């Protein structure tokens, strides 16, 4: 998954705690995406950013905030974590081949107890 | 809501056999893609087919698209143990780069 890095790889939170998931890319793409994947499910889009300084809601934005302060980084924040946010979180960027194809980071596995 | 629904949910075959999985979707699309996910890893793009295409090949992969039935199929020929993974279809609508994923088919290839 070279080109997209995510930190941390694993995290356990207690209900009500906050945390920020980090995503960084070195492929100079304008667009970046945050997805969540629940067990036995496909990915659902949380937020996306079409360019530095802009963000838009996806399918499941409730309970999350995002920040795109520069072209390289796109962070996802959980202000008050809930057990329903237990999931694997993936960051993605467009691939070099097509703006429609996406290139995914390795994911962050989050458990909220 | 999930746009695509893959069928079957799980598939187990012997090495060397062909694997076919299907995807149905609900609304008009611009493109349909297939991704592979190995256990515990991120998704990897396999192939994209445009709405005006009916069939596309890439190595051992063959994808078909029937927009009148809002369905697509992915055929993996001469399967290998390394093909064991979950496979997801994803669609995008005209004017949008956002992808909507199905729930996936879990393929197990037995050596």
């Amino acid at each position: 998954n070279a080109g997209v890095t995510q930190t941390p790889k694993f995290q356990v939170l207690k209900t009500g705690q906050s945390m920020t998931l980090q995503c960084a890319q070195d492929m100079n793409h304008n667009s970046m995406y945050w997805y969540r994947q629940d067990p036995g499910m496909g990915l659902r889009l949380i937020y996306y950013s079409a360019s530095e300084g802009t963000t838009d809601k996806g399918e499941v934005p409730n309970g999350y905030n995002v920040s795109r302060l520069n072209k390289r980084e796109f962070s996802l924040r959980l202000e008050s974590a809930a057990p329903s946010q237990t999931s694997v979180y993936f960051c993605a960027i467009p691939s070099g081949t097509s703006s429609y194809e996406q290139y995914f980071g390795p994911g962050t596995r989050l458990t909220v107890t | 809501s999930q746009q695509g629904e893959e069928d079957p949910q799980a598939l187990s075959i012997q090495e060397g056999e062909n694997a076919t999985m299907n995807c149905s979707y609900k609304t008009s699309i611009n493109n349909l893609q297939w991704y592979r996910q190995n256990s515990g890893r991120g998704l990897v793009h396999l192939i994209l087919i445009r709405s005006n295409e009916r069939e596309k090949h890439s190595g051992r992969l063959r994808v078909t698209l029937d927009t009148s039935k809002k369905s697509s199929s992915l055929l993996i020929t001469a399967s290998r143990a390394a093909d064991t993974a979950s496979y997801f279809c994803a669609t995008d609508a005209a004017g949008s780069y956002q992808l909507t994923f199905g729930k996936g088919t879990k393929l197990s290839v037995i050596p």
Side-chain angles (χ1 to χ4, degrees), chain B residues 27 36 41 69 88 110:
Chain B
T27 60
R36 184 186 73 228
R41 309 291 295 273
K69 295 181 179 178
F88 296 89
I110 303 165

Side-chain angles (χ1 to χ4, degrees), chain B residues 83-99:
Chain B
D83 295 327
T84 294
S86 292
Y87 292 81
F88 296 89
C89 65
T91 58
D92 61 82
S96 172
Y97 293 111
Q98 295 181 56
L99 297 183

Side-chain angles (χ1 to χ4, degrees), chain A residues 41-111:
Chain A
M41 299 285 287
L43 276 66
R44 291 183 292 169
L45 182 65
I46 306 171
Y47 270 94
Y48 67 100
S49 170
S51 62
E52 178 183 341
T54 68
T55 61
D56 284 289
K57 295 178 181 179
E59 181 186 349
V60 288
N62 291 346
Y64 305 94
N65 288 305
V66 289
S67 178
R68 182 87 183 275
L69 296 179
N70 56 61
K71 196 171 188 180
R72 184 172 176 273
E73 297 170 306
F74 188 32
S75 60
L76 179 72
R77 182 160 178 85
L78 287 70
E79 291 291 350
S80 179
S84 61
Q85 294 177 304
T86 293
S87 190
V88 182
Y89 292 85
F90 290 99
C91 178
I93 60 173
S95 77
T97 308
S98 158
S99 296
Y100 296 103
E101 298 169 18
Q102 292 185 9
Y103 184 88
F104 287 82
T108 294
R109 187 174 295 272
L110 175 67
T111 302

Side-chain angles (χ1 to χ4, degrees), chain B residues 30-93:
Chain B
N30 191 31
N31 304 289
L32 185 143
Q33 304 178 50
W34 285 90
Y35 287 81
R36 184 186 73 228
Q37 184 180 35
N38 291 91
S39 181
R41 309 291 295 273
L43 276 71
V44 175
H45 179 264
L46 294 176
I47 194 166
L48 177 151
I49 186 166
R50 303 183 200 288
S51 60
N52 62 355
E53 297 177 310
R54 292 298 165 255
E55 187 170 315
K56 200 162 184 181
H57 296 254
S58 177
R60 293 185 296 113
L61 305 180
R62 173 177 169 253
V63 171
T64 61
L65 179 64
D66 186 336
T67 53
S68 67
K69 295 181 179 178
K70 291 187 170 58
S71 68
S72 172
S73 67
L74 171 67
L75 168 67
I76 304 174
T77 60
S79 63
R80 305 166 182 169
D83 295 327
T84 294
S86 292
Y87 292 81
F88 296 89
C89 65
T91 58
D92 61 82

